[in-house]
């Protein structure tokens, strides 16, 4: 779910994001959900529950998604 980019004020950059590249930021909100945004489009903020994020990360790690190489 997309929500207001001004929701949380303490965004943290993912440690997996390179220094000068697209960065993923995460913040916790007062309602217990997490907010995710990318540095390229900071106005697009995703609201997600911690359980849903854990399930997504687990699915990616176990290969449930097929990723095609990016075309250059």
């Amino acid at each position: 779910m997309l929500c207001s980019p001004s929701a949380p004020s303490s965004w943290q950059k993912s440690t997996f994001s390179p220094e000068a590249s697209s960065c993923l930021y995460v913040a916790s909100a007062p309602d217990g959900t997490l907010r995710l945004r990318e540095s390229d489009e900071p106005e697009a903020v995703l609201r997600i529950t911690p359980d849903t994020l854990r399930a997504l990360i687990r699915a990616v790690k176990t290969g449930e998604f097929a990723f095609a190489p990016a075309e250059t």
Side-chain angles (χ1 to χ4, degrees):
M1 166 179 243
L2 295 179
C3 60
S4 168
S6 60
S9 60
S10 58
W11 292 98
Q12 294 180 331
K13 185 175 128 180
S14 168
T15 57
F16 291 99
S17 294
E19 285 300 317
S21 184
S22 298
C23 299
L24 178 67
Y25 289 86
V26 63
S28 59
D31 64 1
T33 60
L34 300 172
R35 303 294 198 260
L36 303 173
R37 73 177 186 190
E38 185 182 13
S39 58
D40 288 348
E41 289 189 54
E43 68 280 353
V45 178
L46 179 71
R47 182 176 66 189
I48 191 168
T49 66
D51 288 339
T52 303
L53 181 58
R54 273 191 290 278
L56 174 62
I57 292 169
R58 188 174 25 252
V60 170
K61 285 183 174 182
T62 59
E64 287 188 40
F65 301 102
F67 294 102
E71 292 185 31
T72 56

